[in-house]
Structures are given as structure tokens and as C-alpha cells.
């Protein structure tokens, strides 16, 4: 294919030796563009992939002068291999690890009782959160906030108690041969990052830069003095802030360019995507390909149904199974099964170790929290699903899931759908509109509240997964929101 003007501009900037941030919208051929850059030079490069599957695919597309690996693979080659014995160690319950670290007693904060098991789990999650940051030491802000313990003073009490144990756990992880804490891949990545590594290459290509963990950002940016840095991603697809990811593109000190011509879908869908990009104040707007006919309308047989939440995905799975379809779930059913088992424990009068529900002594306590505490409103769909169908039906549905290649329809959350595409996509009904504000319009009806930037980015990701037809379903409220731009009606590439 003949390069677009935008791809040519990116190639010119790359060959001029500029550090480069390339905003690549949905379906704009970012990997193809990067491979084109790499094939046009004899310099040695490294492509840092978001995950192993992307790295494997890239190896078939990039020249032999470019090594395609994840940051974890680089870290393993440098230091991780020293910890092979610990990486292969048997799993042990978190409470046993906590006991070895000195966590032997329960703790009461406010009206909540935190068991030794809960404290042990939270201390280990603190270490995991630290490993995703660029920080030198573990401090209070690495301690995760627990459901039912949102008050800042109470969280400070929890952090003061746990930080010493988390630091002890991190010290334990420095020993290559043996230790009390189970060693995993994020641990050696963090150890490597703290050693200030130098990556031997003439240029570095960082993919999915909008969702880069600070620890990888630190490693990447530290190569600036000896290597040309090229990052590619889509700031409008930065949807993992809640997991510690950071969009490092917009503030990058380098040449800022864009790829806005989408080859995945046509102009009509590009117009719809641009509405959400405008709301999110994104730095890019898309142009569709006129030879790709993409329709918007209802779907009775979608290839994929995209949901806002795991609970929404569970509801879709159950509905589709009831209708007699073979159903797959992107990422598998483990997270849903864990939620259902946790709910079953609470309903049967047992405490659960699930991190979302760990502080609730009973199902009734969780019901009250979801119904009356503002911090628990997002748990109401889970409560409704369990109260309506029961945990047994949910577990049965998870057991009936099939692999994607055998499925008639695939269900996914929008987060897990990122990087994927299907011919026909339906948006599920759990993408709820913003709550009404206190203001009234001229007809006396409540005015909807503002649309959150993060929700607009997630909606953009969801609607741009399709190639041929989109049923906007649960996002159709955008048509009635007063602050939403009206879609441009594009005909044959012209507005």
C-alpha cells in the first residue's frame, strides 16, 4: 500500500533522528507504520511490546535488525533469570506468607474488623502496586484502598500498620534462592528498573504508550541520551489509569505527529468516534476509509457484545446462554467465577478473601453498602444479579463458556476488547449515562450531568472495535445529552 501523507511525515521525522510521539487512532495501522520505519533503516532497534502475543506477532513483521520483546522479557534476560528457583516455587496462602512476615493479629479500624488473612493479602497487594511505579521505596500511597474503609483517616491507620510489613516483604524478595514471599514477574522487572538499566540499541519503539506503567516509562525515558525514542499509542485509549497506567505521550519532549486515517471502518463510524473524542478532549480526530462500508443500526446476531463491567458481561453471558447460543468470554471466566464464589461465601455466612468484598461480614452487610453508601453504588449490579439468579446459576453459566473459535458470539468488557476487532459489534446496556444534575431545562426536566473524560475514552474504545456494523445500544443516550456534539453526516468522504 502507498503510505499516507501522515505515514510519510512519520518516516521523515524518524529518519531525521527526532524523538517521536505518534498518536495513532483506532485502526490507523500503527504497527504497519512502525514496521515500515524499521525496514527503511539499517540501524539496530528494539520494539517494546505491550504483551507477549503482540511481541510474537511483531517478530514476523519487523526486520531482523529489530528485537521485539516485552519489558519483562528484557528484565528477565538481565536479572530475572537469577530468580528462576523462586519463580517456580509452589503457591502458598497469603496468610502463611503474612505470618512469616510477622502479621499475626487481626486489626480493628472504625467499625471494620480486618483479619490476619486480609492484612496479609493487602500487604502483598501493596508490594504489587509499588512494583508498577517509578518510586524508590514503599510508602503509604502504595497501600490499596479497601471497600468499606474509604475514609482518609481510616486508610492512614491501615497504611501505617501495613507499610512496615510491605517493606519487609520487598526485602525478602531481593534474595535469589529462597524467601517467604512468592516471587513473580513484576518483581524482577522492578528490581531491574531500580538498577537504572541501559538498553543497547540505536532506537527504541514503545507500543501502547498511552497505557504505560510508570516503571516501564522510567526505563524507556532513561535511554534518551544514547537512543532515539519513538512512542506510539492513542491518548484517547488511555483506559487503565485505575490500574496505575499513565499516558506518557502528550507530555513527551519530542516531535508530535498523528495517524488519523482509519483502515478498519468507514466514515460514518469515524463520525461517531469523533463525538466521543471531542468529549474526551482528545488530541486526534479520525477519518474513515470510504471503501469500507460500516453501518450503524440494530443487531440481532452480533459477533461480539461489549460491556462496561464484569457484572454486565456476566448478565450478557447468562442471557445469551438462555437463548441457546454458544458463548465465549474474552479473558475467560475466572474473575466472574471468583466473584460468584465470594458472593456464595457471604450468603452462606462465611467471610471471603476476594479483595473487592473482603471487609463485609455478610451478604446483608454488602447489600446495605451497595444500596446506601455512595462509594458502593457500583456494586449494586452484582447484588442485583446474585439476588435475581443466585450464585449457582452464575457458576453454571461460567462452566458453559466455550473457546472463542467455537463461539457464536463473544462477550467482553470494553477494557479487554482493546486491540481487538469484530465484524459486527453490539454495545451492552450497562454503559449508563451520567447522573442528572440539580439543574432543570426549560421544560422542567433534570439536566444530565457532565460526561466523564474516562467514560468517553472507554466508549470510544468500545465503538471502534467494529468493521462492518455497530449497534450502539447502551451508549445511545449520547444522542440526547445536551453537551454532546451532533454527528457529522459524511457522504462519500465529504461533510
Amino acid at each position: 500500500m502507498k503510505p499516507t501523507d501522515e505515514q510519510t511525515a512519520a518516516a521523515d521525522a524518524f529518519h531525521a533522528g527526532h524523538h517521536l510521539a505518534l498518536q495513532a487512532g483506532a485502526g490507523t495501522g500503527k504497527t504497519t507504520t512502525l514496521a515500515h520505519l524499521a525496514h527503511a533503516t539499517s540501524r539496530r532497534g528494539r520494539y517494546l511490546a505491550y504483551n507477549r502475543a503482540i511481541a510474537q506477532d511483531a517478530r514476523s513483521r519487523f526486520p531482523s535488525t529489530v528485537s521485539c520483546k516485552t519489558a519483562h522479557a528484557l528484565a528477565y534476560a538481565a536479572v530475572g533469570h537469577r530468580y528462576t528457583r523462586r519463580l517456580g516455587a509452589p503457591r502458598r496462602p497469603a496468610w502463611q506468607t503474612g505470618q512469616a512476615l510477622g502479621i499475626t493479629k487481626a486489626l480493628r479500624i472504625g467499625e471494620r474488623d480486618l483479619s490476619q488473612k486480609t492484612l496479609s493479602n493487602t500487604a502483598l497487594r501493596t508490594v504489587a502496586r509499588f512494583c508498577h511505579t517509578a518510586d524508590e521505596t514503599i510508602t503509604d500511597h502504595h497501600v490499596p484502598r479497601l471497600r468499606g474503609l474509604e475514609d482518609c483517616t481510616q486508610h492512614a491507620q491501615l497504611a501505617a500498620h501495613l507499610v512496615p510489613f510491605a517493606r519487609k516483604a520487598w526485602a525478602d524478595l531481593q534474595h535469589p534462592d529462597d524467601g517467604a514471599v512468592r516471587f513473580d514477574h513484576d518483581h524482577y522487572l522492578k528490581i531491574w528498573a531500580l538498577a537504572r538499566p541501559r538498553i543497547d540499541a540505536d532506537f527504541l519503539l514503545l507500543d501502547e504508550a498511552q497505557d504505560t506503567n510508570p516503571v516501564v516509562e522510567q526505563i524507556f525515558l532513561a535511554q534518551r541520551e544514547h537512543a532515539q525514542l519513538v512512542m506510539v499509542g492513542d491518548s484517547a485509549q488511555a483506559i487503565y489509569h485505575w490500574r496505575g497506567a499513565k499516558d506518557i505521550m502528550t507530555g513527551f519532549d519530542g516531535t508530535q505527529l498523528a495517524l488519523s486515517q482509519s483502515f478498519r471502518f468507514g466514515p460514518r463510524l469515524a463520525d461517531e468516534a469523533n463525538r466521543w473524542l471531542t468529549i474526551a478532549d482528545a488530541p486526534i480526530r479520525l477519518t474513515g476509509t470510504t471503501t469500507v462500508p460500516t453501518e450503524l443500526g440494530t443487531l440481532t446476531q452480533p459477533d461480539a457484545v461489549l460491556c462496561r463491567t464484569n457484572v454486565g458481561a456476566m448478565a450478557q453471558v447468562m442471557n445469551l446462554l438462555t437463548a441457546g447460543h454458544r458463548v465465549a468470554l474474552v479473558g475467560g471466566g475466572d474473575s466472574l467465577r471468583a466473584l460468584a464464589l465470594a458472593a456464595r461465601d457471604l450468603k452462606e455466612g462465611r467471610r471471603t478473601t476476594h479483595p473487592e468484598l473482603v471487609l463485609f461480614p455478610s451478604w446483608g452487610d454488602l447489600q446495605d453498602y451497595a444500596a446506601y453508601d455512595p462509594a458502593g453504588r457500583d456494586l449494586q449490579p452484582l447484588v442485583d444479579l446474585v439476588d435475581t439468579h443466585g450464585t449457582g446459576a452464575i457458576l453454571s453459566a461460567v462452566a458453559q463458556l466455550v473457546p472463542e473459535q467455537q463461539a457464536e458470539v463473544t462477550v467482553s468488557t470494553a477494557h479487554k476488547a482493546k486491540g481487538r476487532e469484530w465484524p459486527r459489534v453490539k454495545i451492552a446496556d450497562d454503559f449508563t449515562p451520567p447522573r442528572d444534575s440539580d439543574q432543570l431545562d426549560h421544560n422542567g426536566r433534570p439536566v444530565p450531568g457532565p460526561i466523564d473524560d474516562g467514560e468517553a475514552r472507554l466508549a470510544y474504545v468500545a465503538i471502534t472495535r467494529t468493521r462492518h456494523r455497530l449497534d450502539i445500544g447502551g451508549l445511545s443516550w449520547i444522542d440526547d445529552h445536551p453537551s454532546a456534539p451532533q454527528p457529522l453526516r459524511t457522504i462519500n468522504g465529504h461533510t
Side-chain angles (χ1 to χ4, degrees):
M1 282 180 63
K2 182 176 182 286
T4 66
D5 290 345
E6 291 176 326
Q7 290 172 326
T8 299
D12 291 343
F14 176 72
H15 296 306
H18 299 168
H19 297 302
L20 178 61
L22 189 58
Q23 289 280 355
T28 56
K30 60 175 179 149
T31 306
T32 300
T33 302
L34 290 180
H36 173 70
L37 303 185
H39 277 286
T41 181
S42 59
R43 295 183 297 155
R44 293 175 305 111
R46 286 189 182 269
Y47 170 83
L48 294 182
Y50 189 67
N51 58 41
R52 186 185 302 175
I54 293 173
Q56 289 174 339
D57 176 67
R59 289 185 193 115
S60 66
R61 305 173 70 172
F62 282 80
S64 59
T65 51
V66 176
S67 171
C68 302
K69 293 185 177 181
T70 63
H72 282 88
L74 292 178
Y76 183 83
V79 300
H81 64 277
R82 302 174 196 161
Y83 296 85
T84 303
R85 277 187 61 186
R86 293 193 66 172
L87 278 168
R91 290 187 179 275
R92 55 188 306 202
W95 68 265
Q96 286 185 3
T97 302
Q99 201 167 54
L101 294 171
I103 303 175
T104 57
K105 298 178 181 177
L107 178 69
R108 186 171 181 84
I109 298 179
E111 298 180 356
R112 298 290 183 187
D113 292 312
L114 284 77
S115 67
Q116 184 263 354
K117 184 183 293 186
T118 297
L119 293 170
S120 300
N121 276 326
T122 309
L124 295 179
R125 288 173 62 202
T126 299
V127 175
R129 285 162 59 94
F130 163 69
C131 287
H132 294 154
T133 71
D135 300 333
E136 297 282 333
T137 58
I138 296 173
T139 59
D140 291 6
H141 77 271
H142 298 120
V143 179
R145 293 186 175 272
L146 299 182
R147 291 274 194 182
L149 210 66
E150 288 88 2
D151 180 80
C152 291
T153 302
Q154 293 177 338
H155 180 74
Q157 283 182 257
L158 176 67
H161 182 77
L162 286 184
V163 165
F165 293 113
R167 288 177 176 170
K168 190 173 180 181
W170 182 243
D172 174 276
L173 289 164
Q174 308 309 302
H175 304 294
D177 296 323
D178 197 18
V181 183
R182 181 175 170 84
F183 196 93
D184 70 30
H185 299 281
D186 283 346
H187 295 146
Y188 65 71
L189 177 63
K190 181 64 175 177
I191 290 170
W192 184 53
L194 289 171
R196 302 289 185 265
R198 184 184 192 277
I199 300 176
D200 186 24
D202 298 319
F203 63 89
L204 293 178
L205 307 173
L206 177 65
D207 198 3
E208 298 288 350
Q210 81 282 349
D211 281 325
T212 301
N213 279 340
V215 64
V216 177
E217 173 197 8
Q218 177 190 44
I219 295 166
F220 179 77
L221 295 181
Q223 314 306 313
R224 187 183 187 97
E225 294 305 313
H226 71 273
Q228 181 185 8
L229 304 184
V230 178
M231 59 176 64
V232 63
D234 184 354
S235 290
Q237 294 191 51
I239 57 174
Y240 284 108
H241 289 134
W242 55 274
R243 206 169 66 182
K246 179 181 175 184
D247 175 18
I248 67 172
M249 297 194 67
T250 51
F252 180 63
D253 181 14
T255 300
Q256 300 271 345
L257 294 174
L259 300 177
S260 63
Q261 171 72 54
S262 181
F263 303 101
R264 179 180 298 158
F265 44 74
R268 181 65 188 90
L269 187 61
D271 291 344
E272 191 64 34
N274 287 337
R275 301 175 75 190
W276 297 100
L277 291 171
T278 300
I279 295 167
D281 196 24
I284 196 171
R285 300 292 182 271
L286 295 180
T287 302
T289 298
T290 56
T291 55
V292 180
T294 309
E295 303 171 340
L296 270 70
T298 57
L299 276 170
T300 55
Q301 292 183 308
D303 298 295
V305 179
L306 304 187
C307 308
R308 173 66 183 83
T309 64
N310 280 322
V311 174
M314 186 70 257
Q316 290 293 325
V317 165
M318 295 181 73
N319 290 339
L320 289 162
L321 287 171
T322 300
H325 295 287
R326 294 191 307 276
V327 185
L329 182 67
V330 172
D334 287 349
S335 61
L336 297 179
R337 184 173 182 275
L339 266 176
L341 289 173
R344 187 177 70 181
D345 284 342
L346 291 177
K347 286 178 75 70
E348 294 178 356
R350 296 187 298 272
R351 300 291 290 250
T352 177
T353 58
H354 194 288
E356 282 289 289
L357 310 178
V358 69
L359 291 187
F360 300 100
S362 69
W363 184 249
D365 194 42
L366 175 61
Q367 287 174 314
D368 289 344
Y369 175 79
Y372 303 116
D373 193 317
R377 284 176 182 158
D378 62 319
L379 286 176
Q380 190 62 55
L382 170 65
V383 171
D384 292 341
L385 188 72
V386 171
D387 286 343
T388 301
H389 298 283
T391 56
I394 296 171
L395 291 168
S396 174
V398 170
Q400 293 178 61
L401 292 168
V402 300
E404 284 190 58
Q405 58 269 28
Q406 298 174 18
E408 294 174 306
V409 59
T410 296
V411 175
S412 177
T413 62
H415 284 93
K416 290 178 181 173
K418 193 159 79 75
R420 303 285 300 274
E421 59 180 59
W422 292 271
R424 298 169 300 174
V425 172
K426 182 174 183 176
I427 306 299
D429 57 8
D430 63 337
F431 283 84
T432 53
R435 289 188 175 87
D436 291 338
S437 68
D438 296 331
Q439 297 178 324
L440 301 177
D441 64 15
H442 61 279
N443 293 318
R445 293 174 301 195
V447 175
I451 302 171
D452 178 75
D453 285 359
E455 293 300 312
R457 289 194 297 271
L458 192 61
Y460 161 68
V461 169
I463 69 167
T464 55
R465 299 307 96 199
T466 191
R467 295 194 298 271
H468 301 318
R469 189 174 180 89
L470 172 72
D471 183 342
I472 199 167
L475 286 169
S476 59
W477 54 261
I478 186 69
D479 291 329
D480 300 318
H481 197 282
S483 67
Q486 291 303 306
L488 294 172
R489 302 302 173 185
T490 306
I491 303 173
N492 295 329
H494 301 285
T495 57

